[in-house]
Amino acid sequence: MVRALPDGRTRNRARGVLVVVLLLGGLVACGGDDDGDGDDSGADATPSSSAAAPSPTDADGDDGTGDDGGSDGGDGTGSPQPPFPADTRPDTQDASGDALGNVTDIRIGRHEGYDRVVLEFEGTGTPGWDVRYTDQPARQGSGEPVDLAGEAALQVTVTGVGYPPDTGIVEYSGPPRLSAADTEVVTEVFFDGTFEGVTAVLAGTRAEVPFRVYLLEAPARIVIEVADPA
């Protein structure tokens, strides 16, 4: 039997017990949400990651044009070929200001509708050229006549070159006369070497027909294409 005290302390004690019970219940509920790691965010942060972008693939180096490749090593043009001119006027192009090198290889090949002569250049800058028909094919320096098979002769001079001891490049050292069994217009090519900053090449042809000249790069090549007779 609880005796009521005049100052009401029994009622106050009951209220105090109720408050303690409520506080303990609240602490238990809060403890259930704690994941024990001190982080009250409710979830661990996910570290960011990024995949490295793939590097662009290198060009495959194939500059073919759909031609059949001929016997010149499959040189393509890398860009549209210029059309054949309607006449046989000379074709000239200046060398770049920093050009200095040598012709290191010569190739001849047959393609549909024309024959091709390729002069490969090694060195700095881009070479220049002067290509024209001549009635008197001759060696530079000495002026000694050069006999070529065919009814006409193309004289090719390459500028932007130097003597091999000065350039440090090994100049073409193959046979001075070259020919290809499958050509129809170009009969043979004669390499005359380098003299006073000019490399000379002569090409015999079956007729004086239109030709075109252009430059390929990587490596630098002067391409001379001689059209089939009409």
Side-chain angles (χ1 to χ4, degrees):
M1 177 177 174
V2 178
R3 297 175 58 188
L5 299 177
D7 56 3
R9 282 180 290 178
T10 300
R11 186 180 299 113
N12 291 339
R13 183 180 300 171
R15 290 177 179 174
V17 171
L18 179 60
V19 170
V20 170
V21 170
L22 291 175
L23 289 174
L24 289 175
L27 289 174
V28 171
C30 291
D33 292 336
D34 191 357
D35 59 7
D37 61 1
D39 183 0
D40 59 0
S41 63
D44 292 336
T46 302
S48 62
S49 63
S50 60
S55 59
T57 56
D58 293 332
D60 60 8
D62 183 7
D63 59 357
T65 61
D67 290 330
D68 58 8
S71 60
D72 65 356
D75 288 297
T77 63
S79 61
Q81 297 159 300
F84 280 107
D87 53 34
T88 59
R89 287 181 294 180
D91 190 305
T92 63
Q93 175 66 49
D94 292 336
S96 64
D98 60 342
L100 182 62
N102 292 101
V103 172
T104 58
D105 196 15
I106 302 174
R107 297 186 290 276
I108 310 171
R110 174 66 189 168
H111 295 260
E112 184 177 353
Y114 61 90
D115 289 343
R116 174 185 289 172
V117 178
V118 177
L119 307 180
E120 188 164 320
F121 176 87
E122 182 178 341
T124 59
T126 55
W129 63 80
D130 183 302
V131 182
R132 63 183 64 213
Y133 282 103
T134 178
D135 295 331
Q136 298 178 327
R139 302 197 65 168
Q140 56 178 343
S142 68
E144 178 184 353
V146 176
D147 291 329
L148 295 169
E151 298 299 322
L154 274 174
Q155 175 181 282
V156 182
T157 56
V158 181
T159 56
V161 300
Y163 290 116
D166 298 330
T167 64
I169 297 168
V170 178
E171 190 174 53
Y172 171 77
S173 59
R177 289 183 184 269
L178 302 91
S179 61
D182 59 348
T183 56
E184 296 186 10
V185 188
V186 176
T187 58
E188 62 177 327
V189 171
F190 177 78
F191 180 70
D192 191 29
T194 299
F195 180 73
E196 294 184 347
V198 174
T199 296
V201 177
L202 296 166
T205 63
R206 300 190 188 282
E208 192 168 308
V209 293
F211 63 91
R212 61 190 176 195
V213 187
Y214 55 93
L215 182 72
L216 297 180
E217 297 180 350
R221 287 154 288 167
I222 297 173
V223 179
I224 304 139
E225 294 173 343
V226 186
D228 291 351

